[in-house]
Amino acid sequence: VRYIANRSSGKQGHAVAAAAAIAGARVTLISGPVVIADPAGVDVVHVETAAEMLDAVRRALPADVGIFAAAVADWRVANAGHEKIKKTADARTPSLSLVENPDILKTIAAKGPQRPGLVVGFAAETERVTDYAAKKLAAKSADWIVANDVSPESGVMGGDRNSVHLVSAGAIESWPEMSKSEVATRLIERIAEKLAAHRSEAAR
Ligand code: CTP
């Protein structure tokens, strides 16, 4: 009835899954609660909590590429009630204790046999977008971070357009504003090029 969440339409993540399927990839999309329809050609797992999402990601491995676009809630309520928390007659505001949720990207990107060959995270920022994204790249051991400005003026939250920066170790590429579906297609093209380069290196 009452819950804590991060705001997200899921449009960008769903667009990435759809673009990967169109490019011929076998895709598992693990989606939190959204109102948009499941994309075609993709296996979809619906989850509600960060713990369920981490579990579902682990079950979907191994994978050549992991793309982490979910706006995972950073905290959850320590003692979630099984019944609705009612307002009391003395109208005292309840206080909630929060505990930190697992960081799915950081957990999966850590070195190990199950780590996808290419790990792409997202970063939602409202200021110093590329600085914070570069910090996340290092802190979470991702290979790339797609950074976007989600401040209210940007219209990105819930909207259909996005303007992103592709941040990798030592390079920042700023893309012009385009639709979320164009961002997805371009990202998948870049990923396909990277995979092809990995393969030709491995064959040498
Ligand atoms: N992420 C995750 N698990 C979490 C929090 C974030 O996997 N519990 C992933 C997101 O899917 C995204 C990246 O980490 O790929 C960055 O998420 P973002 O919300 O921008 O940042 P946070 O790590 O939550 O840090 P902060 O809220 O301090 O900006």
Side-chain angles (χ1 to χ4, degrees), residues 68-70 72-74 101-105 121-125 136 140:
F68 298 80
V72 185
D74 298 284
N101 269 330
D103 189 313
I104 300 168
L105 169 60
F122 273 67
E125 308 295 350
K136 281 179 188 169
K140 302 192 187 218

Side-chain angles (χ1 to χ4, degrees), residues 50-136:
E52 287 168 11
M53 184 170 272
L54 176 57
D55 256 16
V57 171
R58 285 196 166 120
R59 264 183 271 117
L61 296 175
D64 297 322
V65 185
I67 305 169
F68 298 80
V72 185
D74 298 284
W75 299 279
R76 66 180 183 278
V77 175
N79 301 301
H82 294 290
E83 308 298 337
K84 185 181 178 195
I85 303 169
K86 299 293 287 177
K87 288 195 289 272
T88 52
D90 62 10
R92 240 184 302 155
T93 308
S95 59
L96 300 175
S97 308
L98 302 179
V99 286
E100 204 168 325
N101 269 330
D103 189 313
I104 300 168
L105 169 60
K106 191 171 176 181
T107 306
I108 302 297
K111 264 204 201 102
Q114 290 286 78
R115 186 191 195 276
L118 184 68
V119 173
V120 182
F122 273 67
E125 308 295 350
T126 57
E127 53 171 348
R128 295 172 53 197
V129 176
T130 51
D131 280 3
Y132 283 140
K135 290 207 172 84
K136 281 179 188 169

Side-chain angles (χ1 to χ4, degrees), residues 107-187:
T107 306
I108 302 297
K111 264 204 201 102
Q114 290 286 78
R115 186 191 195 276
L118 184 68
V119 173
V120 182
F122 273 67
E125 308 295 350
T126 57
E127 53 171 348
R128 295 172 53 197
V129 176
T130 51
D131 280 3
Y132 283 140
K135 290 207 172 84
K136 281 179 188 169
L137 181 84
K140 302 192 187 218
S141 336
D143 299 305
W144 298 350
I145 290 276
V146 180
N148 51 185
D149 181 347
V150 295
S151 53
E153 315 79 78
S154 73
V156 166
M157 279 284 185
D160 290 316
R161 299 188 68 77
N162 206 353
S163 76
V164 306
H165 311 267
L166 184 62
V167 180
S168 55
I172 297 175
E173 226 182 71
S174 297
W175 295 359
E177 190 194 297
M178 56 187 95
S179 70
K180 288 184 177 176
S181 132
E182 286 163 334
V183 168
T185 303
R186 196 156 162 169
L187 179 63

